[in-house]
Amino acid sequence: MISDEVIKSPCILICVLDSDDSCQGCYRSAQEITDWSTLSTDDRKNVLVAVKDRYQQLNTHLLL
């Protein structure tokens, strides 16, 4: 079955890269942001998994 699933960008319009080249708004790397429009659905899902991991690593003080 062919999927019509569209994975939207996680951008929240807070576009500031930190010293690790990670956006402080959406937690994607500069390369992931640049590549987003050409990524397959599976690749976008992989980026979102990495984003979730980065968020959790950088915000342990916020997680209960």
Side-chain angles (χ1 to χ4, degrees):
M1 173 186 270
I2 297 174
S3 174
D4 290 337
E5 181 179 14
V6 175
I7 308 290
K8 292 184 180 181
S9 168
C11 180
I12 60 168
L13 302 176
I14 300 174
C15 305
V16 179
L17 296 177
D18 64 17
S19 61
D20 293 324
D21 205 30
S22 180
C23 178
Q24 294 180 8
C26 68
Y27 296 93
R28 290 180 293 169
S29 70
Q31 190 64 55
E32 291 165 341
I33 293 167
T34 301
D35 294 343
W36 186 262
S37 64
T38 61
L39 293 176
S40 68
T41 298
D42 286 339
D43 288 339
R44 287 182 179 194
K45 287 178 182 180
N46 290 335
V47 168
L48 293 179
V49 169
V51 162
K52 182 179 177 184
D53 291 343
R54 280 186 211 119
Y55 176 85
Q56 289 176 339
Q57 289 173 358
L58 295 171
N59 294 293
T60 56
H61 62 287
L62 300 176
L63 302 174
L64 300 175

